[in-house]
């Protein structure tokens, strides 16, 4: 198989899964929400299908980056600010006022 995105439709005779079946449960697999028998079938399909392996790797990276992008930024405190920067800001604000 080639490494197209999304993977071409193939049928795995050992598990009875197609690539489309794998894609339909991809997020549940990543989140650990699949029952054990489905995880086993999913992973057996991955053992035979390099396109799905590559797609899964790309999907995991996308999910990780999306979670980072959507995460709340850490709260900024004066304690976290370098003293030189704090002094420069205070001095600049006094000149403007």
């Amino acid at each position: 198989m080639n490494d197209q995105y999304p993977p071409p439709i193939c049928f795995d005779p050992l598990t009875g899964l197609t690539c489309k079946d794998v894609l339909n449960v991809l997020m549940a697999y990543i989140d650990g929400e699949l029952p054990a028998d489905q995880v086993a079938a999913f992973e057996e399909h991955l053992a035979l299908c390099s396109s799905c392996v590559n797609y899964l790797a790309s999907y995991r990276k996308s999910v990780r980056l999306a979670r980072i992008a959507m995460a709340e930024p850490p709260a900024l405190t004066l304690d976290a600010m370098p003293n030189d920067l704090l002094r420069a800001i205070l001095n600049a604000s006094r000149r403007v006022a």
Side-chain angles (χ1 to χ4, degrees), residues 15-38:
T15 63
L17 293 177
T18 65
C19 293
K20 184 176 180 182
D21 296 329
V22 168
L23 295 179
N24 286 337
V25 296
L26 200 54
M27 196 65 213
Y29 175 78
I30 288 172
D31 287 340
E33 297 173 353
L34 287 181
D37 60 327
Q38 288 183 5

Side-chain angles (χ1 to χ4, degrees), residues 21-63:
D21 296 329
V22 168
L23 295 179
N24 286 337
V25 296
L26 200 54
M27 196 65 213
Y29 175 78
I30 288 172
D31 287 340
E33 297 173 353
L34 287 181
D37 60 327
Q38 288 183 5
V39 169
F42 187 99
E43 290 176 349
E44 286 175 27
H45 179 87
L46 292 179
L48 301 172
C49 184
S50 64
S51 292
C52 283
V53 169
N54 292 333
Y55 191 81
L56 175 61
S58 174
Y59 195 83
R60 276 186 167 143
K61 184 176 182 180
S62 296
V63 168

